[in-house]
Amino acid sequence: MSENKIIDARDTYCPGPLMELITYMKQASVGDTLELLSTDEGSAADVPEWVNKVGHEMLGSEKVDGVWHLKIRKAK
Amino acid sequence: MRILIVGGGTGGTIVANNLARRLSAEIRNRKVRLTMLSASDRHMYQPGLLYVAFGQMTPDQLYRDQRGLLEPNIDFHVDPVEKFQLDKNQVTTKSGKTYEYDILVIATGSRIVPETVPGLAEGAETFYTEATAVKMFKRLREFEGGRIAVVVGVPHKCPIAPVELIFSMHDYFKARGIRDKVSIKYHYPIGRMHTIENVAKWAKPEFDRMGIEIETLFNVKEVDAEHKVVRSEEGTETQYDLLIAIPPHKGMEVIEDNNLGMGGWIPTDRFKLTMKDRDNVYVLGDTTNLPVSKTGSAAHFEAEVVSENIASIIKIGTPVRDYDGKVYCFIEAGHDRATYAMFNYQNPPDLKPATKPMHWFKTAYNQMYWTSVRGLL
């Protein structure tokens, strides 16, 4: 059964939101959905770039009250 | 009041010593009992492993006797915890003893797991343990030229280490007079050459000056040690003659075995440093799941908050401080210059040009650490 996991990477400079996502992606199972919360403006571009390059699935990206919510499904 | 500290690394030791002094009267009057359980009777200064890998320190210089670092009023046992029974406020150790507590501090640290990447353990050198740091130095010493590839696992302890490694290698081969025979290629997991943007901005021109080739968005998928090829999750590959890895890490097995946190990282409140849904359990250092650097520095600043709050709870019934995410990292920029990165949850680091005095300060800190871990600095 797939899981939904929220990764709170708001207000972090190191290891940073994308590093946090990669960490949790390694722990996740194929089909799981991860929602990354980030206050780093760069996340809106660099997270989809990595997700697409590796071959996972970008489900959504929206900014709510200054926080990016980036939803990704682990595809492999 | 029984305070139990599990783990004798940087974080646990600073908490123990800090509490031992803040609560010396209460301990003397037997109102408080302070106990530490550790897996080892020795304490390692882990940042020194980088120096071992370049022949600048020998492993024996990295250790002190753990008992000797602790205040005498701390009840210290080398008896690692095997079972955490948080509902009963007790733990059971390897020797079979049970320790009850009112307040628990978990600071068990992290471990390298190169075996989670096929071929990495067999095919790559690393410097994250005493044995592998010595082995890496021997490989570097016999290396006469060729292609060196550096790869970085996720997550990893000391996010500055990949950058320091490159600077040190450049200076090492330069000193041997063979830098022109060595090509160095640096691979990094995300889309810029360091996760901290200001570190990346500072380091990029330095890497260009040293002639370092950079490939970003490279997460190690597998190593073919026979053919000397490392491949990425992103679909690229690099040929090498010598592969050096910053290995991926996990929390300690005992954390996973007790279902305290996935990957061995315990869910922790980023300000209070308490375990999720457990107000009498504090977590610090590498053991947390916080989006904070896994470094001795983070453990140090977290330890100050944890110990001050525990002492305040005992003295006035309430904690007094939040952790603000503070981290201070020295950055060795080769064998004779250094700079630093200081930041917290709200403020990014502002890097200054590397200088010789900052390197000397770092060299001094390598000895001052023993004062720091006693909770005096």
Side-chain angles (χ1 to χ4, degrees):
Chain A
M1 187 173 160
S2 60
E3 292 186 14
N4 297 314
K5 172 88 183 170
I6 292 176
I7 306 162
D8 185 357
R10 291 174 293 173
D11 298 324
T12 175
Y13 295 103
C14 185
L18 182 51
M19 282 287 204
E20 284 291 291
L21 175 65
I22 294 171
T23 296
Y24 282 90
M25 192 64 85
K26 289 169 72 172
Q27 297 171 3
S29 302
V30 172
D32 286 355
T33 301
L34 305 179
E35 181 175 350
L36 179 70
L37 309 185
S38 172
T39 46
D40 180 351
E41 286 299 325
S43 295
D46 65 22
V47 169
E49 180 191 15
W50 178 76
V51 167
N52 293 329
K53 189 159 186 180
V54 173
H56 298 305
E57 186 181 355
M58 201 74 210
L59 298 177
S61 169
E62 63 173 337
K63 194 176 185 182
V64 180
D65 296 333
V67 178
W68 282 101
H69 294 246
L70 302 144
K71 288 186 183 173
I72 304 104
R73 180 180 291 129
K74 179 163 177 161
K76 59 186 227 186
Chain B
M1 178 73 78
R2 297 156 300 183
I3 304 170
L4 179 62
I5 299 165
V6 178
T10 301
T13 304
I14 293 175
V15 167
N17 282 324
N18 199 318
L19 283 173
R21 280 192 287 278
R22 287 178 185 274
L23 299 172
S24 60
E26 289 83 354
I27 294 171
R28 195 167 52 246
N29 296 333
R30 298 181 184 278
K31 290 179 180 170
V32 169
R33 183 177 177 85
L34 186 55
T35 303
M36 170 181 277
L37 301 173
S38 179
S40 174
D41 62 356
R42 295 197 302 166
H43 188 113
M44 178 198 264
Y45 175 56
Q46 296 178 43
L49 288 166
L50 181 68
Y51 301 108
V52 172
F54 287 92
Q56 297 170 305
M57 289 178 89
T58 51
D60 58 299
Q61 294 176 284
L62 306 182
Y63 291 99
R64 295 286 187 279
D65 171 62
Q66 176 67 15
R67 174 71 263 182
L69 296 174
L70 296 172
E71 291 288 321
N73 55 0
I74 298 167
D75 182 31
F76 173 63
H77 303 275
V78 180
D79 194 3
V81 170
E82 293 196 335
K83 287 183 183 165
F84 289 87
Q85 294 130 308
L86 302 185
D87 289 334
K88 295 180 179 175
N89 285 350
Q90 66 183 39
V91 301
T92 304
T93 62
K94 186 176 181 181
S95 72
K97 288 182 184 166
T98 295
Y99 290 82
E100 297 183 335
Y101 60 81
D102 299 294
I103 295 176
L104 175 66
V105 178
I106 306 178
T108 43
S110 62
R111 63 196 165 106
I112 60 170
V113 287
E115 66 276 9
T116 59
V117 177
L120 192 68
E122 307 82 15
E125 302 301 326
T126 185
F127 58 90
Y128 273 70
T129 66
E130 177 186 329
T132 59
V134 171
K135 182 167 170 279
M136 178 173 146
F137 174 62
K138 289 176 179 173
R139 288 293 310 276
L140 289 174
R141 190 168 161 75
E142 69 191 21
F143 196 75
E144 295 296 337
R147 300 162 298 181
I148 296 181
V150 173
V151 294
V152 178
V154 180
H156 57 269
K157 178 156 48 184
C158 189
I160 296 298
V163 173
E164 292 184 310
L165 169 65
I166 296 294
F167 278 110
S168 289
M169 272 203 296
H170 174 78
D171 278 7
Y172 174 77
F173 288 119
K174 197 173 157 190
R176 281 183 52 195
I178 60 167
R179 180 63 185 91
D180 59 333
K181 294 178 180 162
V182 179
S183 69
I184 301 173
K185 185 172 179 183
Y186 171 89
H187 305 74
Y188 201 70
I190 67 169
R192 60 176 177 245
M193 51 93 60
H194 195 268
T195 190
I196 303 175
E197 190 172 6
N198 286 349
V199 170
K201 285 178 181 170
W202 167 79
K204 178 65 169 61
E206 295 272 5
F207 275 38
D208 290 344
R209 172 184 61 79
M210 293 186 289
I212 309 298
E213 187 181 354
I214 300 171
E215 179 173 340
T216 56
L217 292 173
F218 190 103
N219 284 276
V220 194
K221 179 184 178 186
E222 60 187 10
V223 176
D224 180 347
E226 186 184 349
H227 298 100
K228 297 195 170 181
V229 180
V230 56
R231 299 188 181 89
S232 74
E233 296 281 356
E234 290 79 3
T236 58
E237 64 179 42
T238 293
Q239 290 271 348
Y240 62 82
D241 297 304
L242 175 62
L243 178 64
I244 299 177
I246 304 294
H249 284 64
K250 289 180 92 172
M252 301 308 280
E253 282 178 296
V254 67
I255 303 302
E256 283 194 288
D257 291 346
N258 283 270
N259 296 316
L260 299 186
M262 189 181 287
W265 318 116
I266 299 178
T268 305
D269 184 285
R270 64 165 66 190
F271 300 113
K272 296 184 207 166
L273 300 175
T274 49
M275 182 176 173
K276 187 184 176 195
D277 301 327
R278 300 276 178 184
D279 286 346
N280 69 332
V281 179
Y282 289 84
V283 190
L284 73 157
D286 294 357
T287 316
T288 76
N289 74 336
L290 295 180
V292 172
S293 314
K294 297 199 178 298
T295 69
S297 168
H300 181 147
F301 293 118
E302 290 167 354
E304 289 182 348
V305 173
V306 167
S307 48
E308 191 171 346
N309 282 345
I310 292 174
S312 298
I313 287 168
I314 290 168
K315 288 172 187 281
I316 63 172
T318 180
V320 290
R321 283 179 63 189
D322 281 347
Y323 175 58
D324 65 359
K326 183 177 178 182
V327 178
Y328 179 107
C329 292
F330 286 104
I331 305 175
E332 287 276 44
H335 291 168
D336 64 355
R337 294 182 309 136
T339 183
Y340 67 94
M342 185 167 70
F343 52 96
N344 60 25
Y345 290 139
Q346 298 298 330
N347 302 295
D350 176 21
L351 266 75
K352 304 289 190 293
T355 64
K356 288 188 177 183
M358 187 52 72
H359 169 70
W360 299 334
F361 183 33
K362 166 64 172 171
T363 304
Y365 182 80
N366 292 334
Q367 300 306 317
M368 289 158 62
Y369 172 78
W370 301 111
T371 307
S372 170
V373 84
R374 286 181 170 94
L376 298 170
L377 186 66

